[in-house]
């Protein structure tokens, strides 16, 4: 019997309320880190290497952005390993260059899976004593539930092997969403945003950026979360160049390429190489309530109520890769495929 992803979403929502999160108060940070709560999350690095690699990439992209003062939020709260009474990274005394230095010292996640965890930590401590504590923070401060999808649960028309289940709403919001869905029904649409924004989105959720300092594009159709049933529109918001080469999910790098060695070392049955590029593009597929509040301006949709949008899937594209720009979530065949993958037949257009 197939376990439905919606059941998994509900279980994940319950899990999120128990998962480690980071309070900004210094006392909470000290208790959180010095008592070893964060170690458990980091210990699982070998089982979720690609997810951790993605989290680190998002963090670095936000830190690398000219808008980092606005979008690199939350800023890390990390106890000084040499002085448990001090914060090495303090949101009240931000030092972006020092955070970047520690990030650059983090060994690639691919290499982390090839050695015992204690040996990894030892090597990281040699490079930078703040690298490992920062990695712990990157993992444990993530308030979203993100899991790599198995091949049989991937949406083939998205043309990338890097597909994830993404639940970024807290349990209360998911509960409100289900109640609204029972009243009005739901459908699916894309949300595109530069990868530099996802460090914050995964920790703060999708928010209405219109007419705030978070706004990057215009708000032509008013305040709300902007979505589109057309992949081409949302890909544009993600920063993806339409001239980039389209690479399907079944394509593999040629032998001798920088990723061929990774593929050769993978065990049979593993599905794709780890993320290697620092030039990543991404797009989310969201479920949206089809209430009278949903404003449709042609192929651009605006949702004023944040409780009426929940992320469901997340897709990542590496250098030179682009998804199919002709996807329309309202086409029956596409909608049917999404429902097949989710394993639920209650979403209605």
């Amino acid at each position: 019997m197939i376990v439905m992803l919606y059941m998994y979403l509900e279980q994940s929502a319950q899990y999120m309320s128990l998962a480690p999160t980071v309070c900004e108060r210094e006392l909470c940070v000290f208790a959180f880190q010095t008592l070893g709560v964060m170690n458990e999350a980091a210990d699982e690095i070998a089982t979720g290497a690609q997810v951790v690699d993605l989290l680190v990439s998002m963090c670095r992209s936000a830190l690398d952005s000219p808008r980092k003062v606005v979008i690199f939020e939350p800023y890390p709260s990390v106890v000084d390993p040499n002085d448990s009474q001090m914060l090495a990274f303090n949101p009240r005394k931000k030092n972006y260059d020092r955070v970047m230095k520690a990030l650059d010292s983090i060994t690639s996640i691919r290499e982390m899976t090839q050695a015992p965890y204690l040996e990894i930590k030892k090597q990281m401590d040699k490079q930078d004593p703040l690298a490992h504590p920062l990695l712990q923070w990157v993992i444990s401060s993530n308030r979203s539930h993100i899991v790599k999808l198995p091949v049989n649960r991937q949406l083939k028309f998205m043309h990338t092997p890097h597909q994830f289940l993404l639940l970024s709403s807290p349990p209360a919001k998911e509960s409100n969403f289900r109640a609204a869905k029972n009243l009005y029904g739901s459908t699916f649409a894309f949300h595109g945003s530069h990868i530099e924004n996802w460090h914050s989105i995964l920790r703060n959720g999708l928010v209405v950026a219109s007419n705030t300092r978070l706004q990057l594009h215009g708000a032509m159709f008013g305040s709300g979360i902007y979505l589109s049933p057309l992949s081409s529109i949302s890909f544009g918001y993600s920063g993806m160049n339409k001239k980039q080469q389209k690479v399907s999910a079944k394509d593999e790098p040629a032998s001798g390429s920088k990723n061929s060695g990774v593929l050769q070392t993978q065990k049979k049955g593993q599905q794709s190489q780890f993320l290697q590029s620092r030039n990543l593009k991404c797009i989310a597929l969201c479920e949206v309530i089809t209430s009278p509040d949903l404003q449709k301006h042609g192929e651009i949709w605006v949702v004023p109520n944040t409780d009426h949008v929940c992320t469901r899937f997340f897709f990542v594209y590496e250098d030179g890769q682009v998804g199919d720009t002709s996807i329309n979530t309202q086409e029956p065949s596409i909608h049917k495929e999404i429902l097949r993958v989710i394993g639920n037949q209650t979403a209605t257009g």
Side-chain angles (χ1 to χ4, degrees):
M1 180 177 179
I2 297 176
V3 179
M4 295 183 179
L5 283 186
Y6 268 112
M7 294 176 62
Y8 185 55
L9 287 173
E10 293 184 12
Q11 295 170 358
S12 299
Q14 296 172 358
Y15 166 80
M16 284 174 61
S17 65
L18 302 176
T21 57
V22 174
C23 173
E24 291 297 329
R25 294 194 307 165
E26 294 185 10
L27 181 61
C28 295
V29 176
F30 286 131
F32 196 52
Q33 296 185 11
T34 57
L35 292 177
V37 177
M38 298 179 89
N39 290 333
E40 182 178 352
D43 282 342
E44 298 175 357
I45 197 168
T47 60
Q50 196 173 53
V51 171
V52 177
D53 196 12
L54 182 60
L55 293 175
V56 172
S57 297
M58 290 173 172
C59 183
R60 197 183 194 288
S61 294
L63 195 57
D64 234 357
S65 171
R67 302 171 60 237
K68 60 178 173 285
V69 174
V70 175
I71 65 173
F72 190 60
E73 291 291 343
Y75 182 91
S77 297
V78 173
V79 174
D80 190 331
N82 297 317
D83 185 350
S84 61
Q85 302 301 310
M86 298 291 292
L87 284 179
F89 293 128
N90 189 338
R92 298 178 183 176
K93 301 176 182 178
K94 298 178 180 179
N95 186 336
Y96 298 106
D97 291 338
R98 185 64 185 90
V99 177
M100 181 64 83
K101 181 178 182 294
L103 269 182
D104 286 340
S105 298
I106 294 178
T107 311
S108 75
I109 307 304
R110 177 173 57 86
E111 293 175 357
M112 289 182 182
T113 64
Q114 299 173 1
Y117 181 75
L118 290 179
E119 179 61 28
I120 296 165
K121 181 181 181 302
K122 181 179 178 181
Q123 294 301 318
M124 293 179 70
D125 288 343
K126 282 184 179 180
Q127 293 185 21
D128 189 326
L130 297 184
H132 182 260
L134 180 60
L135 179 60
Q136 288 181 303
W137 181 87
V138 169
I139 296 171
S140 298
S141 66
N142 170 36
R143 290 187 167 102
S144 296
H145 192 62
I146 180 168
V147 180
K148 180 69 183 289
L149 288 171
V151 173
N152 67 340
R153 285 291 187 179
Q154 292 189 1
L155 293 167
K156 304 305 180 185
F157 56 75
M158 293 307 295
H159 296 300
T160 175
H162 306 307
Q163 301 192 21
F164 303 86
L165 173 70
L166 174 60
L167 178 65
S168 61
S169 302
K173 180 177 176 180
E174 279 285 351
S175 178
N176 292 339
F177 183 89
R178 289 194 296 272
K181 179 177 175 179
N182 289 335
L183 285 175
Y184 303 110
S186 68
T187 188
F188 298 92
F190 294 106
H191 177 77
S193 188
H194 283 261
I195 191 166
E196 64 185 35
N197 295 322
W198 285 96
H199 168 80
S200 177
I201 293 174
L202 291 188
R203 291 161 177 82
N204 300 316
L206 282 174
V207 298
V208 175
S210 309
N211 303 314
T212 73
R213 64 177 189 160
L214 292 172
Q215 180 177 312
L216 181 60
H217 304 284
M220 181 183 299
F221 299 111
S223 180
I225 296 174
Y226 279 61
L227 306 165
S228 178
L230 297 185
S231 59
S232 57
I233 292 177
S234 293
F235 276 139
Y237 282 99
S238 74
M240 185 176 289
N241 186 344
K242 294 181 180 179
K243 294 181 179 179
Q244 287 177 312
Q245 180 184 359
K246 175 179 171 181
V247 181
S248 68
K250 65 182 180 179
D251 289 339
E252 295 181 352
S255 59
S257 71
K258 67 177 181 179
N259 288 325
S260 61
V262 179
L263 290 170
Q264 291 170 6
T265 59
Q266 288 182 317
K267 294 179 181 179
K268 184 177 180 180
Q270 291 180 325
Q271 49 185 309
S272 64
Q273 73 270 25
F274 297 113
L275 302 175
Q276 298 293 312
S277 170
R278 284 186 176 176
N279 181 25
L280 302 176
K281 308 297 180 185
C282 52
I283 189 173
L285 181 61
C286 303
E287 188 173 5
V288 55
I289 300 299
T290 51
S291 75
D293 292 337
L294 175 60
Q295 303 169 17
K296 295 184 178 181
H297 304 274
E299 304 301 343
I300 296 178
W301 298 358
V302 182
V303 186
N305 187 346
T306 57
D307 281 348
H308 284 192
V309 179
C310 285
T311 56
R312 294 301 183 220
F313 298 101
F314 191 71
F315 310 96
V316 181
Y317 299 83
E318 298 180 272
D319 288 316
Q321 294 187 347
V322 64
D324 189 338
T325 56
S326 63
I327 300 168
N328 186 339
T329 60
Q330 303 308 290
E331 290 182 3
S333 60
I334 298 296
H335 195 79
K336 181 179 180 180
E337 175 66 6
I338 295 171
L339 293 178
R340 182 196 70 79
V341 170
I342 288 180
N344 180 280
Q345 302 296 320
T346 62
T348 58

